[in-house]
Amino acid sequence: MKTYFSDLRLISSAITVAVRLLSVFVILGLYELSIYLLPKEIEFVSEIAVLTCLVFGVFGILPIQEKISGFLKSTFVSEYLSDDPGSSRLAHRRFDSEGLIKNVFPELVRLTNSNFGKLAILKNDLVHYELYTYAHKKQRKVNTLEGINPRAALLTYILNKRSGAMIGEPDQNKIINEDFVSLRANFILPFVFREKLFGFLAVSNIPKDNVRHELGFLAGKCALAVHNQILSSQIAENKKYRKELENAGKIRKFLESPEPPMVGDIKIDLLSREPGELLEFFQSPSGDFYFVFLRLSVTNAVSVLALCYILGTLYSSRLNGELKNILQIKSLVEDNLKEISWTERYDLAVGMVQKETGKISLRFIGKNFKLFDASKPDRNLASIGWENIETPGKDALFLTWNDRNIISFQHLGIQP
């Protein structure tokens, strides 16, 4: 028999009973109304009234009853604490992790008879966790810097403890015991969905055996709630950043020709471009062409927005006449990456093709770039740390990233 362990669970049960009783009274009232309205001259008046009530009850009252019950439970208690299928579906559709933090977290702590507990929720970056504390009926968010280390051995340990982990278990090492102490916890319950840890509950008391099954059931709902919250956020962000990328593409097509430029006698060919890369050409008033290649180490919604921001900054500087040399462009890109707090690795190549002399100047950051002559593909002509200057001869020059050809330069005035 299920244990009603809290006031919210009692409220949920009372709502279910009240709505069902109301449905019974409505059907009885419908029966009396049918008896009153049906002509007395026809036979089987009672049977027709009963049949009418059954049809209306199955196709009308039951769905309405489920809607009313779900609405009341979502108003007065959390959907995640309800065993009603309709309420659970409503919770999953809403992707409401706020309800999880506000309502379910205190109930989980009370279920273990603990006065203190901590809740860790996986953030949208799928790496870090937000921490919340509950003590003496007060709830607050913990500073993230004081939270759990995403690379902590504790997270790997509890991932394999679906029913919860207690302090002092034989397979615990010293570091994990220290994590238990730092969280002020004697029992930790993980929230696992599809073999991924979406959070955990750390409490001061070790729950009884008959309560751990209830905790495991709610932990599964919590994991699914956090997963759906992250998934819905990513979908919304992807739509937003896709729109930003489309706008950036329109700006690029409006300002510059999509085809690589012809600079004097130097023919430039764009050989490949992949998602997560920025490759643009900019013409100076003197007719020289600058080019920028930026490759971010990760490809996701945030990186797309970062590339759009860098692209907008470059075009704005170009229209204002601020692009004067490749060192200035390189510093501009680096400063803007710092401004948007980009901490991941990136590869950057900035170059210029002079119209009069046909010389190619190149600066780059990263170990994956290579500039070579087609006749000597094993010899790298560019080095990190200074400005490399080359003049294309009869054979084309190729700029590669990670062994993939990006751009080629060929002097058409010299016949091979």
Side-chain angles (χ1 to χ4, degrees):
M1 183 175 178
K2 186 174 287 298
T3 302
Y4 293 97
F5 58 89
S6 69
D7 294 338
L8 290 181
R9 181 58 62 83
L10 289 173
I11 293 173
S12 177
S13 301
I15 290 174
T16 301
V17 172
V19 172
R20 289 179 181 178
L21 286 176
L22 179 61
S23 300
V24 172
F25 288 128
V26 171
I27 292 176
L28 290 176
L30 178 63
Y31 174 78
E32 294 296 334
L33 182 63
S34 300
I35 293 291
Y36 176 77
L37 294 178
L38 287 173
K40 302 301 185 291
E41 293 80 8
I42 65 174
E43 297 182 4
F44 310 113
V45 173
S46 298
E47 289 79 358
I48 294 175
V50 170
L51 182 60
T52 302
C53 293
L54 286 176
V55 173
F56 186 78
V58 171
F59 295 101
I61 296 297
L62 289 180
I64 294 175
Q65 170 188 306
E66 183 178 343
K67 295 290 184 181
I68 294 176
S69 179
F71 172 75
L72 293 176
K73 288 179 181 179
S74 65
T75 303
F76 296 102
V77 297
S78 173
E79 302 92 331
Y80 302 105
L81 294 173
S82 172
D83 294 331
D84 177 60
S87 298
S88 296
R89 288 195 299 270
L90 178 62
H92 298 159
R93 285 199 305 268
R94 290 178 61 190
F95 307 141
D96 184 15
S97 63
E98 294 298 325
L100 168 66
I101 297 168
K102 181 180 178 182
N103 297 322
V104 181
F105 175 32
E107 293 304 304
L108 290 173
V109 177
R110 292 172 192 152
L111 178 59
T112 62
N113 293 320
S114 300
N115 293 321
F116 175 83
K118 283 191 176 182
L119 176 72
I121 297 294
L122 184 64
K123 299 174 67 175
N124 290 349
D125 60 7
L126 300 178
V127 176
H128 300 90
Y129 292 82
E130 290 183 336
L131 282 179
Y132 299 84
T133 63
Y134 178 84
H136 307 295
K137 297 184 179 181
K138 293 183 179 180
Q139 193 172 325
R140 69 182 181 90
K141 185 176 179 180
V142 183
N143 189 335
T144 308
L145 296 177
E146 300 173 1
I148 189 72
N149 184 345
R151 292 177 294 276
L154 175 67
L155 301 183
T156 304
Y157 175 76
I158 64 176
L159 181 61
N160 301 317
K161 300 282 185 177
R162 298 293 184 93
S163 60
M166 295 179 289
I167 190 172
E169 291 181 332
D171 57 345
Q172 291 180 10
N173 55 39
K174 179 181 178 182
I175 297 177
I176 293 177
N177 287 332
E178 290 176 353
D179 289 332
F180 270 86
V181 174
S182 65
L183 291 171
R184 297 171 58 188
N186 291 315
F187 178 80
I188 297 179
L189 178 69
F191 303 155
V192 181
F193 179 69
R194 294 178 180 174
E195 305 303 323
K196 184 171 183 61
L197 184 68
F198 285 91
F200 61 84
L201 172 75
V203 292
S204 55
N205 286 354
I206 298 177
K208 298 179 181 180
D209 293 338
N210 61 342
V211 178
R212 294 179 69 171
H213 175 73
E214 186 82 20
L215 284 171
F217 174 73
L218 292 175
K221 285 189 173 184
C222 294
L224 184 58
V226 179
H227 169 266
N228 286 338
Q229 173 70 37
I230 294 173
L231 182 62
S232 63
S233 299
Q234 290 177 342
I235 291 173
E237 288 180 355
N238 285 335
K239 289 182 179 178
K240 174 184 176 182
Y241 298 142
R242 192 181 303 115
K243 186 65 176 178
E244 294 288 345
L245 185 59
E246 290 175 358
N247 292 336
K250 292 177 182 178
I251 294 173
R252 183 179 67 241
K253 291 179 181 179
F254 176 75
L255 293 176
E256 298 286 347
S257 171
E259 298 297 328
M262 183 77 176
V263 186
D265 293 331
I266 304 297
K267 183 178 183 294
I268 303 175
D269 287 322
L270 176 60
L271 303 178
S272 66
R273 175 184 285 169
E274 293 184 354
E277 295 178 349
L278 173 66
L279 179 55
E280 296 297 326
F281 295 90
F282 306 92
Q283 186 176 18
S284 68
S286 62
D288 300 333
F289 266 87
Y290 297 100
F291 62 90
V292 177
F293 175 82
L294 176 61
R295 172 78 187 200
L296 303 180
S297 59
V298 295
T299 302
N300 54 25
V302 178
S303 66
V304 171
L305 184 61
L307 292 177
C308 292
Y309 178 78
I310 297 298
L311 177 63
T313 303
L314 288 171
Y315 275 124
S316 176
S317 300
R318 181 251 186 185
L319 293 176
N320 294 332
E322 298 174 359
L323 302 183
K324 298 180 180 179
N325 54 65
I326 61 175
L327 184 60
Q328 187 266 343
I329 298 175
K330 173 178 171 292
S331 300
L332 177 65
V333 174
E334 291 178 314
D335 292 343
N336 279 275
L337 286 173
K338 292 179 181 177
E339 183 178 337
I340 61 177
S341 302
W342 182 264
T343 58
E344 303 291 338
R345 185 180 58 82
Y346 62 90
D347 292 327
L348 172 65
V350 181
M352 181 184 66
V353 182
Q354 298 180 10
K355 182 178 180 179
E356 296 296 332
T357 63
K359 292 183 178 179
I360 301 173
S361 303
L362 176 68
R363 285 182 178 268
F364 61 90
I365 299 173
K367 300 179 180 180
N368 296 313
F369 288 108
K370 182 179 179 181
L371 182 67
F372 66 90
D373 192 292
S375 61
K376 299 178 180 179
D378 297 330
R379 181 186 177 188
N380 190 358
L381 301 176
S383 302
I384 302 176
W386 59 77
E387 186 170 321
N388 302 273
I389 301 177
E390 295 292 333
T391 302
K394 63 179 181 179
D395 296 313
L397 288 177
F398 290 91
L399 175 65
T400 69
W401 179 84
N402 202 20
D403 296 328
R404 175 166 58 88
N405 293 339
I406 304 297
I407 311 174
S408 68
F409 308 91
Q410 187 172 13
H411 200 308
L412 297 182
I414 301 178
Q415 298 298 326

